[in-house]
Short mmCIF file of all heavy atoms in Angstrom, two decimals:
data_model
loop_
_atom_site.label_atom_id
_atom_site.label_comp_id
_atom_site.label_asym_id
_atom_site.label_seq_id
_atom_site.Cartn_x
_atom_site.Cartn_y
_atom_site.Cartn_z
N MET C 40 0.83 -1.20 0.01
CA MET C 40 -0.04 0.05 0.02
C MET C 40 0.87 1.23 -0.02
O MET C 40 1.86 1.32 0.75
CB MET C 40 -0.93 0.02 1.19
CG MET C 40 -1.91 1.20 1.26
SD MET C 40 -3.03 1.01 2.61
CE MET C 40 -4.01 2.54 2.35
N THR C 41 0.55 2.20 -0.79
CA THR C 41 1.35 3.40 -0.88
C THR C 41 0.66 4.54 -0.20
O THR C 41 -0.52 4.63 -0.01
CB THR C 41 1.57 3.78 -2.31
OG1 THR C 41 0.33 3.88 -2.99
CG2 THR C 41 2.36 2.60 -3.11
N GLU C 42 1.50 5.56 0.09
CA GLU C 42 1.02 6.73 0.79
C GLU C 42 0.84 7.92 -0.18
O GLU C 42 1.76 8.14 -0.98
CB GLU C 42 2.04 7.14 1.91
CG GLU C 42 1.62 8.32 2.71
CD GLU C 42 2.65 8.75 3.65
OE1 GLU C 42 3.66 8.09 3.72
OE2 GLU C 42 2.46 9.77 4.39
N GLN C 43 -0.26 8.62 -0.16
CA GLN C 43 -0.42 9.69 -1.03
C GLN C 43 0.17 11.04 -0.48
O GLN C 43 0.22 11.21 0.73
CB GLN C 43 -1.94 9.95 -1.20
CG GLN C 43 -2.53 8.96 -2.18
CD GLN C 43 -3.97 9.38 -2.60
OE1 GLN C 43 -4.55 10.18 -1.95
NE2 GLN C 43 -4.37 8.88 -3.75
N LEU C 44 0.64 11.86 -1.38
CA LEU C 44 1.18 13.16 -0.99
C LEU C 44 0.04 14.02 -0.61
O LEU C 44 -0.99 14.14 -1.25
CB LEU C 44 1.98 13.75 -2.20
CG LEU C 44 2.72 15.05 -1.91
CD1 LEU C 44 3.89 14.74 -0.94
CD2 LEU C 44 3.21 15.66 -3.16
N ALA C 45 0.20 14.80 0.48
CA ALA C 45 -0.77 15.65 1.05
C ALA C 45 -1.04 16.83 -0.03
O ALA C 45 -0.15 17.36 -0.56
CB ALA C 45 -0.38 16.27 2.31
N THR C 46 -2.38 17.11 -0.25
CA THR C 46 -2.68 18.14 -1.21
C THR C 46 -3.42 19.32 -0.60
O THR C 46 -3.89 20.18 -1.26
CB THR C 46 -3.63 17.52 -2.26
OG1 THR C 46 -4.75 16.94 -1.61
CG2 THR C 46 -2.92 16.48 -3.05
N THR C 47 -3.50 19.38 0.74
CA THR C 47 -4.12 20.48 1.43
C THR C 47 -3.17 21.68 1.41
O THR C 47 -1.95 21.50 1.51
CB THR C 47 -4.51 20.16 2.90
OG1 THR C 47 -3.30 19.61 3.56
CG2 THR C 47 -5.55 19.06 2.91
N PRO C 48 -3.64 22.92 1.32
CA PRO C 48 -2.83 24.07 1.21
C PRO C 48 -2.20 24.37 2.57
O PRO C 48 -2.68 24.05 3.63
CB PRO C 48 -3.73 25.15 0.69
CG PRO C 48 -5.07 24.74 1.24
CD PRO C 48 -5.04 23.27 1.15
N PHE C 49 -1.10 25.13 2.48
CA PHE C 49 -0.34 25.57 3.66
C PHE C 49 -1.01 26.82 4.21
O PHE C 49 -1.55 27.64 3.49
CB PHE C 49 1.14 25.83 3.36
CG PHE C 49 1.92 26.44 4.39
CD1 PHE C 49 2.40 25.65 5.47
CD2 PHE C 49 2.17 27.82 4.37
CE1 PHE C 49 3.13 26.24 6.47
CE2 PHE C 49 2.93 28.40 5.44
CZ PHE C 49 3.43 27.63 6.47
N GLY C 50 -0.93 27.01 5.58
CA GLY C 50 -1.29 28.25 6.17
C GLY C 50 -2.85 28.29 6.36
O GLY C 50 -3.54 27.28 6.65
N ARG C 51 -3.31 29.50 6.19
CA ARG C 51 -4.79 29.78 6.44
C ARG C 51 -5.68 29.31 5.32
O ARG C 51 -6.95 29.40 5.42
CB ARG C 51 -4.99 31.24 6.82
CG ARG C 51 -4.26 31.65 8.06
CD ARG C 51 -4.52 33.14 8.33
NE ARG C 51 -3.86 33.66 9.48
CZ ARG C 51 -3.93 34.87 10.00
NH1 ARG C 51 -4.66 35.76 9.37
NH2 ARG C 51 -3.29 35.19 11.12
N ARG C 52 -5.14 29.06 4.18
CA ARG C 52 -5.93 28.70 2.99
C ARG C 52 -6.72 27.38 3.29
O ARG C 52 -6.13 26.43 3.85
CB ARG C 52 -5.08 28.53 1.79
CG ARG C 52 -4.58 29.86 1.28
CD ARG C 52 -3.91 29.63 -0.09
NE ARG C 52 -2.73 28.79 -0.02
CZ ARG C 52 -1.50 29.31 0.19
NH1 ARG C 52 -1.33 30.63 0.27
NH2 ARG C 52 -0.43 28.49 0.35
N GLN C 53 -8.00 27.34 2.92
CA GLN C 53 -8.81 26.17 3.22
C GLN C 53 -8.94 25.34 1.95
O GLN C 53 -8.93 25.84 0.85
CB GLN C 53 -10.21 26.63 3.74
CG GLN C 53 -10.22 27.42 4.95
CD GLN C 53 -9.75 26.58 6.15
OE1 GLN C 53 -9.98 25.35 6.26
NE2 GLN C 53 -8.94 27.23 7.03
N VAL C 54 -9.01 24.05 2.16
CA VAL C 54 -9.24 23.12 1.00
C VAL C 54 -10.72 23.19 0.68
O VAL C 54 -11.53 23.37 1.52
CB VAL C 54 -8.78 21.69 1.34
CG1 VAL C 54 -9.68 21.09 2.38
CG2 VAL C 54 -8.80 20.83 0.05
N THR C 55 -11.01 23.04 -0.60
CA THR C 55 -12.46 23.03 -1.16
C THR C 55 -12.76 21.71 -1.72
O THR C 55 -11.88 20.97 -2.16
CB THR C 55 -12.62 24.20 -2.13
OG1 THR C 55 -11.81 23.99 -3.30
CG2 THR C 55 -12.29 25.50 -1.49
N LEU C 56 -14.09 21.47 -1.96
CA LEU C 56 -14.50 20.25 -2.57
C LEU C 56 -14.08 20.28 -4.03
O LEU C 56 -13.84 19.14 -4.58
CB LEU C 56 -16.03 20.09 -2.44
CG LEU C 56 -16.55 19.87 -1.07
CD1 LEU C 56 -18.13 19.86 -1.14
CD2 LEU C 56 -16.10 18.60 -0.48
N GLY C 57 -13.98 21.45 -4.63
CA GLY C 57 -13.49 21.46 -6.00
C GLY C 57 -12.12 21.05 -6.13
O GLY C 57 -11.75 20.28 -7.12
N GLN C 58 -11.23 21.35 -5.20
CA GLN C 58 -9.87 20.92 -5.22
C GLN C 58 -9.79 19.40 -5.01
O GLN C 58 -8.94 18.77 -5.64
CB GLN C 58 -9.08 21.71 -4.20
CG GLN C 58 -8.96 23.18 -4.41
CD GLN C 58 -8.31 23.92 -3.30
OE1 GLN C 58 -7.72 23.28 -2.42
NE2 GLN C 58 -8.31 25.24 -3.35
N ILE C 59 -10.65 18.91 -4.22
CA ILE C 59 -10.67 17.41 -3.91
C ILE C 59 -11.04 16.71 -5.21
O ILE C 59 -10.53 15.66 -5.59
CB ILE C 59 -11.56 17.09 -2.77
CG1 ILE C 59 -10.93 17.65 -1.45
CG2 ILE C 59 -11.76 15.58 -2.62
CD1 ILE C 59 -11.84 17.42 -0.22
N ALA C 60 -12.11 17.26 -5.92
CA ALA C 60 -12.60 16.68 -7.11
C ALA C 60 -11.52 16.72 -8.23
O ALA C 60 -11.34 15.75 -8.93
CB ALA C 60 -13.83 17.42 -7.63
N THR C 61 -10.75 17.84 -8.26
CA THR C 61 -9.69 17.95 -9.26
C THR C 61 -8.61 16.90 -8.95
O THR C 61 -8.11 16.22 -9.89
CB THR C 61 -9.00 19.29 -9.23
OG1 THR C 61 -10.04 20.30 -9.56
CG2 THR C 61 -7.87 19.46 -10.22
N GLY C 62 -8.29 16.61 -7.68
CA GLY C 62 -7.32 15.66 -7.29
C GLY C 62 -7.77 14.28 -7.71
O GLY C 62 -6.96 13.44 -8.15
N MET C 63 -8.99 13.98 -7.46
CA MET C 63 -9.57 12.68 -7.84
C MET C 63 -9.52 12.50 -9.33
O MET C 63 -9.15 11.37 -9.83
CB MET C 63 -11.00 12.51 -7.38
CG MET C 63 -11.17 12.56 -5.83
SD MET C 63 -12.94 12.49 -5.34
CE MET C 63 -13.56 11.14 -6.22
N GLN C 64 -9.79 13.52 -10.13
CA GLN C 64 -9.81 13.41 -11.61
C GLN C 64 -8.37 13.08 -12.08
O GLN C 64 -8.17 12.34 -12.96
CB GLN C 64 -10.40 14.70 -12.21
CG GLN C 64 -10.50 14.62 -13.74
CD GLN C 64 -11.11 15.93 -14.26
OE1 GLN C 64 -11.32 16.90 -13.51
NE2 GLN C 64 -11.40 15.93 -15.54
N VAL C 65 -7.38 13.78 -11.43
CA VAL C 65 -6.01 13.58 -11.86
C VAL C 65 -5.60 12.22 -11.51
O VAL C 65 -4.94 11.51 -12.29
CB VAL C 65 -5.15 14.66 -11.14
CG1 VAL C 65 -3.62 14.33 -11.36
CG2 VAL C 65 -5.39 16.04 -11.70
N ARG C 66 -5.89 11.69 -10.31
CA ARG C 66 -5.49 10.40 -9.86
C ARG C 66 -6.05 9.29 -10.71
O ARG C 66 -5.40 8.35 -11.09
CB ARG C 66 -5.82 10.20 -8.39
CG ARG C 66 -5.29 8.94 -7.79
CD ARG C 66 -5.44 8.86 -6.30
NE ARG C 66 -6.80 8.84 -5.89
CZ ARG C 66 -7.50 9.98 -5.34
NH1 ARG C 66 -6.80 11.08 -5.10
NH2 ARG C 66 -8.67 9.89 -4.92
N GLU C 67 -7.38 9.45 -11.11
CA GLU C 67 -8.01 8.40 -11.83
C GLU C 67 -7.41 8.38 -13.29
O GLU C 67 -7.24 7.34 -13.85
CB GLU C 67 -9.52 8.76 -11.97
CG GLU C 67 -10.22 8.50 -10.58
CD GLU C 67 -11.65 8.96 -10.69
OE1 GLU C 67 -12.07 9.47 -11.74
OE2 GLU C 67 -12.39 8.83 -9.67
N ALA C 68 -7.10 9.57 -13.79
CA ALA C 68 -6.49 9.61 -15.14
C ALA C 68 -5.16 8.94 -15.19
O ALA C 68 -4.77 8.21 -16.11
CB ALA C 68 -6.41 10.99 -15.66
N ILE C 69 -4.29 9.16 -14.16
CA ILE C 69 -2.99 8.56 -14.04
C ILE C 69 -3.14 7.10 -13.87
O ILE C 69 -2.36 6.29 -14.48
CB ILE C 69 -2.12 9.22 -12.93
CG1 ILE C 69 -1.86 10.73 -13.26
CG2 ILE C 69 -0.85 8.45 -12.74
CD1 ILE C 69 -1.13 11.42 -12.22
N GLU C 70 -4.06 6.66 -13.04
CA GLU C 70 -4.24 5.20 -12.76
C GLU C 70 -4.63 4.51 -14.10
O GLU C 70 -4.19 3.43 -14.48
CB GLU C 70 -5.30 4.98 -11.73
CG GLU C 70 -4.76 5.31 -10.34
CD GLU C 70 -5.89 5.18 -9.28
OE1 GLU C 70 -7.01 4.92 -9.70
OE2 GLU C 70 -5.62 5.26 -8.10
N ALA C 71 -5.58 5.15 -14.84
CA ALA C 71 -6.06 4.57 -16.12
C ALA C 71 -4.87 4.45 -17.10
O ALA C 71 -4.78 3.49 -17.89
CB ALA C 71 -7.18 5.39 -16.72
N ALA C 72 -4.04 5.51 -17.15
CA ALA C 72 -2.90 5.48 -18.07
C ALA C 72 -1.86 4.49 -17.68
O ALA C 72 -1.08 4.04 -18.55
CB ALA C 72 -2.28 6.88 -18.15
N SER C 73 -1.86 4.11 -16.39
CA SER C 73 -0.80 3.19 -15.93
C SER C 73 -1.20 1.73 -15.99
O SER C 73 -0.37 0.82 -15.71
CB SER C 73 -0.42 3.50 -14.48
OG SER C 73 0.11 4.80 -14.35
N GLN C 74 -2.48 1.48 -16.33
CA GLN C 74 -2.96 0.12 -16.38
C GLN C 74 -2.26 -0.69 -17.55
O GLN C 74 -1.94 -0.13 -18.55
CB GLN C 74 -4.45 0.07 -16.58
CG GLN C 74 -5.20 0.56 -15.42
CD GLN C 74 -5.02 -0.25 -14.16
OE1 GLN C 74 -4.87 -1.51 -14.27
NE2 GLN C 74 -5.03 0.42 -13.01
N PRO C 75 -2.02 -1.95 -17.34
CA PRO C 75 -1.38 -2.79 -18.43
C PRO C 75 -2.27 -2.75 -19.70
O PRO C 75 -3.48 -2.85 -19.67
CB PRO C 75 -1.39 -4.17 -17.85
CG PRO C 75 -1.36 -3.98 -16.35
CD PRO C 75 -2.22 -2.79 -16.10
N GLY C 76 -1.62 -2.54 -20.80
CA GLY C 76 -2.34 -2.48 -22.11
C GLY C 76 -2.94 -1.16 -22.44
O GLY C 76 -3.54 -0.92 -23.48
N SER C 77 -2.80 -0.19 -21.48
CA SER C 77 -3.34 1.13 -21.73
C SER C 77 -2.42 1.92 -22.69
O SER C 77 -1.18 1.82 -22.56
CB SER C 77 -3.48 1.92 -20.47
OG SER C 77 -3.90 3.28 -20.72
N ASN C 78 -3.02 2.67 -23.60
CA ASN C 78 -2.26 3.46 -24.51
C ASN C 78 -1.58 4.58 -23.76
O ASN C 78 -2.22 5.30 -22.95
CB ASN C 78 -3.10 3.99 -25.64
CG ASN C 78 -3.59 2.88 -26.55
OD1 ASN C 78 -2.89 1.90 -26.74
ND2 ASN C 78 -4.80 3.02 -27.08
N ILE C 79 -0.37 4.91 -24.12
CA ILE C 79 0.27 6.11 -23.48
C ILE C 79 -0.42 7.35 -23.93
O ILE C 79 -0.73 7.55 -25.13
CB ILE C 79 1.69 6.13 -23.88
CG1 ILE C 79 2.49 4.96 -23.41
CG2 ILE C 79 2.36 7.41 -23.34
CD1 ILE C 79 3.94 4.87 -23.81
N PRO C 80 -0.86 8.23 -23.00
CA PRO C 80 -1.61 9.42 -23.43
C PRO C 80 -0.87 10.29 -24.37
O PRO C 80 0.37 10.46 -24.22
CB PRO C 80 -1.92 10.16 -22.09
CG PRO C 80 -0.92 9.58 -21.11
CD PRO C 80 -0.62 8.20 -21.62
N ALA C 81 -1.50 10.81 -25.30
CA ALA C 81 -0.86 11.72 -26.28
C ALA C 81 -0.41 13.01 -25.58
O ALA C 81 -0.95 13.48 -24.66
CB ALA C 81 -1.82 12.07 -27.40
N ALA C 82 0.74 13.49 -26.08
CA ALA C 82 1.24 14.75 -25.48
C ALA C 82 0.42 15.91 -25.83
O ALA C 82 -0.14 16.00 -26.93
CB ALA C 82 2.69 14.94 -25.93
N VAL C 83 0.43 16.89 -24.94
CA VAL C 83 -0.33 18.17 -25.24
C VAL C 83 0.62 19.30 -25.32
O VAL C 83 1.47 19.52 -24.46
CB VAL C 83 -1.33 18.41 -23.99
CG1 VAL C 83 -2.00 19.79 -24.27
CG2 VAL C 83 -2.29 17.28 -23.89
N ASN C 84 0.58 20.06 -26.39
CA ASN C 84 1.39 21.22 -26.63
C ASN C 84 0.94 22.28 -25.63
O ASN C 84 -0.21 22.76 -25.68
CB ASN C 84 1.30 21.66 -28.07
CG ASN C 84 2.31 22.76 -28.32
OD1 ASN C 84 2.21 23.90 -27.71
ND2 ASN C 84 3.26 22.51 -29.17
N LYS C 85 1.78 22.69 -24.74
CA LYS C 85 1.32 23.63 -23.67
C LYS C 85 0.90 24.96 -24.23
O LYS C 85 -0.02 25.56 -23.71
CB LYS C 85 2.40 23.77 -22.60
CG LYS C 85 3.67 24.40 -23.20
CD LYS C 85 4.75 24.47 -21.98
CE LYS C 85 6.04 25.16 -22.46
NZ LYS C 85 7.05 25.18 -21.41
N TRP C 86 1.53 25.43 -25.31
CA TRP C 86 1.18 26.73 -25.83
C TRP C 86 -0.09 26.68 -26.65
O TRP C 86 -0.87 27.58 -26.63
CB TRP C 86 2.31 27.33 -26.68
CG TRP C 86 3.64 27.44 -25.91
CD1 TRP C 86 4.77 26.91 -26.10
CD2 TRP C 86 3.80 28.18 -24.68
NE1 TRP C 86 5.74 27.27 -25.17
CE2 TRP C 86 5.14 28.02 -24.23
CE3 TRP C 86 2.90 28.91 -23.88
CZ2 TRP C 86 5.60 28.64 -23.08
CZ3 TRP C 86 3.41 29.51 -22.68
CH2 TRP C 86 4.74 29.35 -22.38
N ALA C 87 -0.36 25.50 -27.33
CA ALA C 87 -1.59 25.41 -27.97
C ALA C 87 -2.75 25.26 -27.00
O ALA C 87 -3.82 25.81 -27.21
CB ALA C 87 -1.57 24.12 -28.88
#
């Protein structure tokens, strides 16, 4: 079992449900890309 990196902000800033939803979306996308047989996601041109 692995430990997740904390994503709560430092100091007085509060975490929101939107930030938690974004973290879940990122984690699910990375897990799907790491599954055996999964296609490597296409690169995104950052300026485009």
